[in-house]
Amino acid sequence: MPQQSTRGGGAAWALVITSVAGFMAALDNLVVTTALPSIREDLGGALHDLEWTVSAYTLTFAVLLMFGAALGDRFGRRRLFLAGIAVFTGASAAAAMAPGIDSLIAARAVQGVGAAVMMPLTLTLLTAAVPAERRGTAYGIWGAVNGLAVASGPLVGGSLTEHISWQWIFWLNVPLGLALLPLARFRLAESHGTGAPLDLPGTLLASGGLFGVVYGLVRGPVDGWTGSVVLSALFAGAALLAGFVIYSTRAKNPMLPMRLFRSRAFAGINAASLLMFLGMFGSIFLLSQYMQGVLGYSPTEAGLRMLPWTGMPMLVAPVAGILSDRVGGRPVVAAGLFLQAAGLGYLASVITADASYAAQLPGLIISGIGMALFFAPASALVMSSVVPKEQGIASGANNALREVGGALGIAVMASIFAAQGGYESAQSFVDGSRPAVAVGAGVVALAGVAALLIPARGRSGGTADAPGQPPVPVTGEPALAPTAQTAAR
């Protein structure tokens, strides 16, 4: 059984501290997107450099998320939470002061390390501090704050970039982090998990494999797909990932037990999550630049115009929850994915060098509704696909695969963009964006097909720990309050 000290400042303080920490980590998934043109103008860099300013964060975040949770369980959740905040805050300051694009990418990677330690521990610390009968309300508030971070990411990034400078999208984290450190130290109780040994070989195999694949995809358009470096990276990455799968089937305490994927429900919802984030993140990466570089909107105007898409989960998620209670989670998730695919397909067909916002708006709204329908029941489907004692592993794995999908999506969509177009002119940007976003729509449609493979259930709620009680996850997103954590985020 987990051990917990009696020290702490109560549920209210835990809710405030963990919600603000989660807000910072979630915000940095998308806050950079509307600042990319300004970063490119100020620091220089080619398309692959812009990709890495986003992917360096999402990739390290994804790869180390489950490992960060395991570190907290073994060495103390509050202690590692403090370390994660310190690393994230320091890396944010380094990103703000970056003299060049390479140093910015390096700082973003370190940010991802801090977030990977900090983010999964927000829920374990909150769960430890809040009585069982009040956890539903606490998870709801925590989830709403994280959803707000995702929805406001492009707008916050655009506003700070336009009215102050792009550096302030990173400076914003510094006072928040400095305020959280003493509060977390004196207001949170320390707790530990089971003390299971850390899976260092699994972490190294997964990290190396994902880095190799993403690096190869990013460098392909620049060096050529038959270049020795690109082919070596892709083959080495694929080999390491295959090694990770083989190792995880035999290891005693693997980071991600492969046996979980024998469940059609677990495999289906995770495949849907990875593909959905792949198509969505890559499309947002290009469309946010399209609105500024081609249509001439300011960063703030671009962020506001993205809200019908990124902000829709705040409005539709409650309705999606009611629907999933009535008809089950699978049809709601599948409908959401097919709607988002339709929205992206529509956007790919209407974006031109002089497209009006009115022409784009239906696609943004349809995509936003689809994203909201996905997020609401998806976490509950993840939780219901495993036994209660493995819900922490399942939630962490799902969050990690979402982040991996985001990193891969940016790499894949940018590669298609570079092969078909570029930054030379407005028409060149459109020529590259249209096929890339169309591919994004197809990938999200495949996610909808994967969702249909999930076995039908009468209700979307997770497997209960006890009759009438919802499951309480150890890491990742809460079953009662699923959020758009990295969508976007």
Side-chain angles (χ1 to χ4, degrees):
M1 292 293 290
Q3 298 174 345
Q4 177 179 323
S5 69
T6 58
R7 186 176 181 179
W13 275 114
L15 179 58
V16 170
I17 294 166
T18 58
S19 293
V20 173
F23 180 90
M24 290 195 302
L27 185 72
D28 271 57
N29 263 315
L30 286 179
V31 74
V32 177
T33 54
T34 43
L36 289 173
S38 296
I39 292 173
R40 182 169 178 263
E41 181 179 348
D42 194 8
L43 300 182
L47 173 65
H48 65 273
D49 296 311
L50 296 182
E51 292 177 59
W52 278 114
T53 61
V54 181
S55 295
Y57 179 82
T58 56
L59 190 58
T60 52
F61 190 4
V63 169
L64 298 176
L65 192 148
M66 287 186 287
F67 189 64
L71 285 173
D73 287 346
R74 186 170 180 82
F75 298 110
R77 292 163 179 159
R78 184 185 63 184
R79 179 183 301 169
L80 267 294
F81 182 68
L82 288 167
I85 293 174
V87 171
F88 185 86
T89 303
S92 296
M97 296 186 291
I101 193 70
D102 291 336
S103 54
L104 175 60
I105 292 170
R108 287 283 287 166
V110 179
Q111 262 193 314
V113 174
V117 176
M118 174 177 69
M119 188 66 183
L121 296 177
T122 57
L123 274 178
T124 55
L125 290 165
L126 184 61
T127 300
V130 178
E133 66 274 10
R134 293 163 56 193
R135 284 176 186 160
T137 300
Y139 290 158
I141 297 171
W142 183 93
V145 172
N146 278 265
L148 179 63
V150 174
S152 62
L155 178 58
V156 170
S159 299
L160 290 174
T161 299
E162 179 179 357
H163 299 296
I164 308 179
S165 71
W166 65 262
Q167 286 87 349
W168 276 91
I169 65 179
F170 302 114
W171 281 126
L172 177 66
N173 294 322
V174 175
L176 292 174
L178 292 176
L180 284 180
L181 283 170
L183 287 175
R185 173 65 180 81
F186 295 108
R187 296 292 182 177
L188 293 179
E190 183 61 283
S191 63
H192 296 76
T194 60
L198 300 174
D199 184 14
L200 291 175
T203 301
L204 292 174
L205 286 169
S207 303
L210 289 171
F211 179 82
V213 171
V214 173
Y215 183 83
L217 290 172
V218 169
R219 295 301 304 179
V222 181
D223 298 337
W225 292 103
T226 58
S228 59
V229 173
V230 172
L231 289 177
S232 297
L234 291 173
F235 282 121
L240 288 172
L241 288 176
F244 170 72
V245 172
I246 295 171
Y247 165 82
S248 298
T249 60
R250 302 175 179 177
K252 185 177 181 180
N253 294 291
M255 179 174 67
L256 178 58
M258 290 296 114
R259 57 179 171 74
L260 293 179
F261 290 95
R262 296 173 188 166
S263 163
R264 209 173 84 199
F266 184 82
I269 189 59
N270 279 286
S273 297
L274 186 145
L275 292 170
M276 184 270 199
F277 271 68
L278 197 157
M280 180 192 66
F281 254 66
S283 300
I284 289 179
F285 174 78
L286 292 173
L287 290 173
S288 62
Q289 294 182 73
Y290 164 76
M291 286 188 172
Q292 295 178 68
V294 176
L295 300 183
Y297 295 127
S298 70
T300 302
E301 291 170 339
L304 283 170
R305 282 164 174 75
M306 295 290 284
L307 279 178
W309 184 0
T310 60
M312 193 62 69
M314 300 293 291
L315 301 176
V316 179
V319 178
I322 295 172
L323 281 175
S324 62
D325 282 342
R326 292 182 176 178
V327 301
R330 182 185 70 161
V332 177
V333 165
L337 291 168
F338 287 126
L339 277 175
Q340 178 151 232
L344 289 176
Y346 174 86
L347 286 170
S349 69
V350 301
I351 55 175
T352 62
D354 57 353
S356 67
Y357 182 63
Q360 302 169 61
L361 189 58
L364 295 171
I365 292 174
I366 293 170
S367 294
I369 294 173
M371 186 165 66
L373 291 175
F374 169 83
F375 282 125
S379 289
L381 285 172
V382 172
M383 294 301 174
S384 66
S385 68
V386 297
V387 296
K389 68 179 182 179
E390 293 182 325
Q391 285 169 350
I393 294 174
S395 182
N398 185 255
N399 280 306
L401 287 171
R402 292 183 183 191
E403 296 293 333
V404 168
L408 289 174
I410 291 170
V412 170
M413 303 305 169
S415 296
I416 298 170
F417 168 84
Q420 301 294 323
Y423 289 100
E424 293 79 16
S425 66
Q427 187 57 50
S428 178
F429 195 96
V430 170
D431 291 341
S433 296
R434 295 187 74 169
V437 175
V439 169
V443 171
V444 177
L446 286 177
V449 174
L452 292 177
L453 298 177
I454 300 170
R457 292 178 183 271
R459 303 174 73 86
S460 67
T463 303
D465 292 317
Q469 294 296 320
V472 179
V474 179
T475 62
E477 296 175 276
L480 288 181
T483 69
Q485 181 180 344
T486 64
R489 53 184 72 40

